Amino acid sequence: MAVATLCGVAQVRSSSSDHRYKAGDDVPLYANKVGPYHNPSETYRYFDFPFCSSAPVKEKNEALGEVLNGDRLVSAPYKLEFLTEKDAEIACKRKLTKKEVAKFRTAILKDYYFQMYYDDLPIWGFLGKVDKEGKADPSDYRYYLFKHLIFEIHHNKDRVIEVTVRSDPNALVDLTEDEPVDVDFMYTVKWKETNTPFEKRMDKYSLSSSLPHHLEIHWFSIINSCVTVLLLTGFLATILMRVLKNDFIKYAHDDESADDQEESGWKYIHGDVFRYPKRKSLFAAALGCGTQLFTLTIFIFILALVGVFYPYNRGALFTALVIIYALTSGIAGYTSASFYGQLEGENWVRNLLLTGSLFCGPLFVTFCFLNTVAIAYKATAALPFGTIVVILLIWALVTSPLLVVGGIAGKNKKEEFQAPCRTAKYPREIPPLPWYRKTLPQMAMAGFLPFSAIYIELYYIFASVWGHRIYTIYSILFIVFIILLIVTAFVTVALTYFQLAAEDHEWWWRSFLCGGSTGLFIYEYCLYYYIARSDMSGFMQTAFFFGYMACICYGFFLMLGAIGFRASLLFVRHIYRSIKCE
C-alpha cells in the first residue's frame, strides 16, 4: 500500500515537469534558498538577503516533503522565456545600505551559495568571491559580489533538457568598504540545441555517483565486506558447529551414564534460559519499534530500487518516510502486544503507550529543540506552524489508530511462548564472570564487526545527506544492508552461545543490546566525520548534525537489536530442542 502510494506521488511529480513550450513562453524559474556551502542544514530564504525583484514575489505551493527538506521556492527576479536570448539585460536595480553590504560581505566570506530550479532542474552559483591573492593579512582581503549571471540552456525541440549558470568574472561589485553601493543585477541567456531525449535529462545527476572511480571504491567496499564477513562468519560457524556437536555428543553420553553426574555448560541452565526478562513491557516495546523500523527500511529500499528517489526529486524521501512510518505503526503495535502477551504481560495499555513513544518520544523532543534553534536563526529548516499541524494530524489520525488496532490484534492472538524446556521455580545464581563477559565489553565486540562491514559506504551516505554529493547507487547500498543484517545476526548468536556456555542465563536483553550496538559505533563515526571529513561549523549546523544523527543511530539500535534478538531466540530454541531437558 505504501509503495503504491509513493509510486503514485513520483509519477505525478515527474509528469508535472513534463512541459512542452513554444518560443516566447514563460518557463518557471524559482529561487529556492541561500546558505553556507559547508553547512547544508543552515539555509535561508532567497529574499532574506538584499536581492531585488522587478515584479511582486510569488511563493510556490510545496508538498510536505519539500517543506521538511527546507525548500522555500519563490519566483526569481530573472525572466527566462523559451528560446529567447538576452545579453546583459538588467533584471533590477538596488541601492545597498551599509547594513546590507555587511550582510552580503559576511555571506561571501562564508562561501554562501544560492539554489534555483528552472523547469524543475536544479542550478547553483556562489554569491561572490574573496580576493586573497598576495594578501597575508585578512584585513586586506577584497570582497566582491557577482552581479551578472549567465544562463546556458539546452533544449530538444520544445523541451528544456539542461541548464547551467555561471557568474561573469568581470562584472563585480566591491563590497569591501561599509559604504552604500548601487547594484545593477544583470543576466544573459543563451540557448543551444541538443539531441538528449527528455527522459534522460536527469541522467547527468545520477551518473555523477556512478563514475568509474566511484564505482571501483563501492565495489571494493562490498568485496572487502564480503571477504571479511565470509572469513569471520566461516571461522565462527566452524568453531560454533564443532563446539555444539561436541556438546550434543557429551550431553547425550551424560544422559546414558549415571543420572547423578553433575551437569555443566549451557545445559546446566535449561531451567532458567527461558525465564522471562526483566522489564518485559519495555522489552516488547523495543522489539515492536525495531520490527517497524526494519519494515520501514525495506519499503524505502524497494522505492529506491524502482527509481522513486531520483536526484532532486524534492522531498520525495521525507514524504516516503512520513507516510510509510505512519502506515507501518500497526506492525509495531501488533509485534509488541503479541510478544508481551507471550511473556504473560497483563498491562497491555501501558505496553502500547511505551511502543508508541519509545522512538517517537526522543524524536519529538529532538525536533522541538532543533526547530527552536532554526527559528532563532530564521532558517528554512524551521517548519511552519501549518506543517507541524499536518504532521501532528497524521500522527493522531493515522499512526496512533493503526498502533492501537495492531495492538488489539496482537493481544487477541493469545499465542503461548514456545519454550522447549520448563522454567524452574527459582532462578539459579549466575557464577562470577570475568570483565570481558560483562555487557559493555560484549556490546563493543558485537558492534565492531557489523560496523567494519559498512563503514566505507557510510562516508558516501554522510557526504550525500550532510553535503552536496549525489548518491544513487541504491543496489550496492542494499547489498551492504543485507551484509549488515547477516553479520549482526551471526555475531549476536555467537556471543549468546558463549554467554550461555558461561552459565549466564540473562541473555534476552544482552542479545538485544549486542545486536543494536552497531548504532553506537555509527554515532562514534559521526564524531569522526564531523571533525576529520567535513567543514561544518556553527551552533545550528552542529546541533542539527548531532541531534538528528542521534535519532537515526537510535533507530538503527532498535532495528538491529530486534534482528539480533530474533536470531538468538531461534538459535536458543534450536539447541535446547536438540537435548533432553526436564
Side-chain angles (χ1 to χ4, degrees):
M1 181 180 173
V3 176
T5 305
L6 265 295
C7 284
V9 170
Q11 287 165 4
V12 169
R13 292 196 53 77
S14 59
S15 62
S16 68
S17 61
D18 186 3
H19 289 145
R20 296 176 182 271
Y21 301 100
K22 291 182 289 191
D25 282 356
D26 281 334
V27 183
L29 174 67
Y30 292 105
N32 187 12
K33 50 193 177 185
V34 178
Y37 183 76
H38 299 294
N39 289 357
S41 300
E42 187 187 342
T43 53
Y44 304 94
R45 291 174 180 268
Y46 185 81
F47 285 107
D48 283 350
F49 285 78
F51 295 106
C52 63
S53 180
S54 57
V57 175
K58 297 178 182 177
E59 293 195 2
K60 182 181 182 294
N61 291 327
E62 291 167 318
L64 174 63
E66 292 174 318
V67 178
L68 292 174
N69 196 39
D71 291 332
R72 304 290 186 273
L73 275 69
V74 295
S75 55
Y78 310 103
K79 303 299 175 189
L80 278 58
E81 295 89 356
F82 193 70
L83 296 182
T84 304
E85 296 209 343
K86 298 182 180 181
D87 185 25
E89 185 164 315
I90 295 176
C92 55
K93 298 182 179 182
R94 177 155 186 158
K95 185 178 183 69
L96 299 178
T97 64
K98 289 183 181 180
K99 190 175 180 181
E100 290 170 342
V101 166
K103 188 169 187 175
F104 263 133
R105 189 169 59 239
T106 303
I108 292 166
L109 177 64
K110 293 182 178 179
D111 284 332
Y112 271 53
Y113 71 99
F114 65 82
Q115 185 189 45
M116 295 183 182
Y117 282 91
Y118 184 65
D119 194 42
D120 269 352
L121 291 170
I123 45 179
W124 306 265
F126 285 98
L127 299 190
K129 69 173 186 177
V130 182
D131 182 13
K132 302 178 182 179
E133 196 171 340
K135 302 175 181 67
D137 189 354
S139 61
D140 295 331
Y141 292 168
R142 308 295 296 180
Y143 300 88
Y144 297 102
L145 175 71
F146 296 132
K147 68 173 184 176
H148 185 190
L149 296 181
I150 301 169
F151 295 91
E152 288 189 3
I153 307 167
H154 296 253
H155 70 100
N156 186 345
K157 296 177 182 175
D158 55 358
R159 285 169 158 179
V160 176
I161 302 299
E162 184 180 344
V163 58
T164 56
V165 65
R166 57 188 173 86
S167 304
D168 183 352
N170 300 314
L172 303 171
V173 180
D174 192 342
L175 302 181
T176 308
E177 306 299 329
D178 276 330
E179 297 294 334
V181 178
D182 289 311
V183 181
D184 295 344
F185 289 98
M186 300 183 295
Y187 65 111
T188 295
V189 185
K190 298 178 182 178
W191 286 87
K192 295 179 182 177
E193 192 154 8
T194 179
N195 293 322
T196 305
F198 179 81
E199 293 74 23
K200 294 188 176 181
R201 71 176 191 159
M202 300 302 292
D203 284 3
K204 77 167 192 172
Y205 305 107
S206 305
L207 292 173
S208 65
S209 63
S210 305
L211 295 173
H213 64 282
H214 283 158
L215 275 177
E216 284 176 13
I217 295 170
H218 287 292
W219 282 114
F220 170 76
S221 164
I222 285 187
I223 292 167
N224 171 59
S225 300
C226 285
V227 169
T228 306
V229 168
L230 285 173
L231 286 174
L232 288 168
T233 52
F235 177 67
L236 281 171
T238 305
I239 292 176
L240 208 56
M241 295 307 291
R242 182 170 290 182
V243 168
L244 273 174
K245 186 179 177 183
N246 291 337
D247 284 349
F248 290 144
I249 293 169
K250 174 176 174 288
Y251 293 146
H253 180 264
D254 288 349
D255 287 338
E256 291 168 7
S257 60
D259 289 335
D260 59 349
Q261 184 171 344
E262 190 171 343
E263 295 176 339
S264 62
W266 53 267
K267 188 186 177 186
Y268 177 64
I269 55 170
H270 63 76
D272 295 275
V273 75
F274 294 106
R275 188 179 302 282
Y276 300 145
K278 297 171 183 173
R279 300 181 184 87
K280 52 191 175 185
S281 183
L282 178 62
F283 186 83
L287 193 62
C289 288
T291 307
Q292 180 192 4
L293 292 171
F294 173 69
T295 310
L296 168 70
T297 308
I298 294 297
F299 273 122
I300 291 294
F301 269 118
I302 291 171
L303 291 173
L305 293 170
V306 299
V308 171
F309 304 132
Y310 58 84
Y312 305 108
N313 183 3
R314 296 189 302 274
L317 178 60
F318 287 104
T319 306
L321 286 170
V322 170
I323 292 175
I324 297 174
Y325 184 83
L327 294 176
T328 54
S329 60
I331 293 172
Y334 177 82
T335 306
S336 178
S338 63
F339 197 77
Y340 184 59
Q342 289 179 41
L343 300 182
E344 298 175 8
E346 294 175 356
N347 194 346
W348 69 277
V349 175
R350 178 171 171 269
N351 173 247
L352 276 186
L353 289 172
L354 260 177
T355 308
S357 59
L358 194 61
F359 181 71
C360 284
L363 181 63
F364 179 72
V365 170
T366 305
F367 162 75
C368 288
F369 171 70
L370 295 178
N371 205 56
T372 305
V373 171
I375 290 169
Y377 273 73
K378 297 180 180 176
T380 60
L383 294 190
F385 179 73
T387 306
I388 296 173
V389 170
V390 168
I391 292 174
L392 289 176
L393 284 174
I394 291 172
W395 180 80
L397 301 178
V398 181
T399 308
S400 298
L402 285 176
L403 178 75
V404 173
V405 168
I408 292 170
K411 172 181 172 285
N412 293 335
K413 190 181 178 186
K414 293 181 178 176
E415 185 183 358
E416 289 188 6
F417 184 77
Q418 298 170 5
C421 302
R422 264 201 312 245
T423 301
K425 192 173 182 181
Y426 301 105
R428 289 183 186 274
E429 187 178 347
I430 298 170
L433 299 171
W435 66 269
Y436 57 85
R437 287 195 182 277
K438 304 288 186 185
T439 302
L440 287 177
Q442 293 284 295
M443 286 175 67
M445 282 188 269
F448 176 75
L449 185 56
F451 175 77
S452 67
I454 63 167
Y455 80 97
I456 295 178
E457 210 63 28
L458 271 183
Y459 167 74
Y460 289 97
I461 297 167
F462 273 57
S464 174
V465 175
W466 299 105
H468 303 280
R469 189 187 291 269
I470 299 167
Y471 191 98
T472 57
I473 317 174
Y474 301 117
S475 53
I476 288 180
L477 185 61
F478 185 63
I479 294 170
V480 171
F481 179 69
I482 296 298
I483 291 172
L484 173 65
L485 296 182
I486 293 170
V487 180
T488 299
F490 199 93
V491 169
T492 311
V493 164
L495 288 174
T496 300
Y497 169 76
F498 293 126
Q499 181 184 353
L500 297 178
E503 299 177 10
D504 180 357
H505 53 79
E506 294 180 349
W507 63 275
W508 300 69
W509 273 109
R510 178 77 65 84
S511 63
F512 191 97
L513 293 173
C514 286
S517 59
T518 307
L520 302 178
F521 275 82
I522 296 173
Y523 200 65
E524 288 174 17
Y525 180 82
C526 293
L527 187 64
Y528 163 76
Y529 181 85
Y530 181 85
I531 295 170
R533 289 298 190 96
S534 79
D535 294 311
M536 290 185 274
S537 60
F539 177 73
M540 178 185 165
Q541 182 60 47
T542 304
F544 265 68
F545 178 73
F546 286 107
Y548 281 126
M549 282 311 302
C551 292
I552 292 169
C553 292
Y554 176 53
F556 264 91
F557 173 81
L558 291 173
M559 179 181 73
L560 295 175
I563 297 293
F565 169 73
R566 289 290 188 190
S568 294
L569 181 60
L570 285 172
F571 170 75
V572 173
R573 277 178 175 158
H574 174 73
I575 63 171
Y576 280 96
R577 274 200 197 100
S578 304
I579 61 166
K580 294 177 185 176
C581 53
E582 296 172 3

